[in-house]
Structures are given as structure tokens and as C-alpha cells.
Amino acid sequence: MEDISDIKIIGFDDNRPPLIRKAPYIDLFFKLTHQAPKNWCDDFNQLVSKEKYSAKIIPAAGLFIEAWVRKPEEIEGLLEKLKKAISVCTEDYIAKINAINSAASNTSTKPGDEGEQGRLNKIVAALNFD
């Protein structure tokens, strides 16, 4: 199974390579190592939406970053910005998951689950009435 921390850009989409066209821009479709979760994609899109050349991931697919530049020389700088954005989104996503898990584990402990009452609760829960 893929891990969220493994998401990285591994190249361009084989079916949509960068091409010089008559348009005053170059479309770029960066391929990720694996499909990113929808929430991660939403966070990524929000983070990069205010950049000079906006980029986006279609959350339903979650496998390609769609971007553009005006000149070929701008591709390297864009790639570095996207790699940093991926790193930030991944760190934030992991922090959110950890916070959710921490909150869930904190609420699973009910008052009285320590001490004698806790011991009694465990014994009662383990009883088999079949």
C-alpha cells in the first residue's frame, strides 16, 4: 500500500508530454508516484492557487499536477515550487491525521476507566454470556 509520505513528482504524463505550440504557454502534466487522497489534493490546490502560474490536481484522479509556463526556462523553477508544495501538503496532511487519531484515542477513555472501576469495566466487558 502506498504511503502519503511517498507522494513525489516522478516525471511527465507519457500521454501528454510538454510541447511547443502556437499558444503563448506550455502545458505541463506532472505525474505523481501514486494517487493522492482527495483531501490532500484539495489542500494542494488551495496552497498553489495563488502562485504566478497556478497549478492544480483533479481530486477525482489525484495522479497528475496540471500546470503551465510561458517559457521552457521557467519549468525548473515551477518544478521546485511544486515539490515544496507537495512537501508542505504532506506534512500538513499527516499532522491532521495524527490530530484526528489523537482526539479519537483521547475520547475513547471514559471517566472511571482507571483504577478499580477500570478493572471492573474490563472484567465485565470480557464476560461471555453464551
Side-chain angles (χ1 to χ4, degrees), residues 43-114:
D43 291 346
F44 177 86
N45 287 340
Q46 184 176 2
L47 180 65
V48 298
S49 66
K50 295 180 175 84
E51 291 291 327
K52 178 180 177 183
Y53 300 125
S54 65
K56 68 178 180 179
I57 297 176
I58 297 173
L63 191 56
F64 298 101
I65 298 174
E66 299 177 8
W68 62 277
V69 293
R70 293 201 184 275
K71 301 176 198 166
E73 297 78 22
E74 297 172 323
I75 295 173
E76 187 174 0
L78 175 64
L79 176 60
E80 291 306 312
K81 286 181 181 181
L82 293 176
K83 289 180 354 184
K84 286 179 187 173
I86 288 170
S87 178
V88 167
C89 284
T90 299
E91 289 173 14
D92 290 349
Y93 188 84
I94 291 170
K96 286 178 188 177
I97 295 298
N98 288 340
I100 290 169
N101 290 341
S102 177
S105 68
N106 288 342
T107 60
S108 66
T109 304
K110 301 174 192 155
D113 276 355
E114 294 103 42

Side-chain angles (χ1 to χ4, degrees), residues 20-25:
I20 298 290
R21 303 177 305 155
K22 291 183 181 184
Y25 57 87

Side-chain angles (χ1 to χ4, degrees), residues 1 3 11 31 38 49 57 59 63 79 111 119 125 129:
M1 181 172 161
D3 186 13
K31 185 175 182 178
K38 182 189 179 311
S49 66
I57 297 176
L63 191 56
L79 176 60
R119 190 168 63 86
F129 292 98

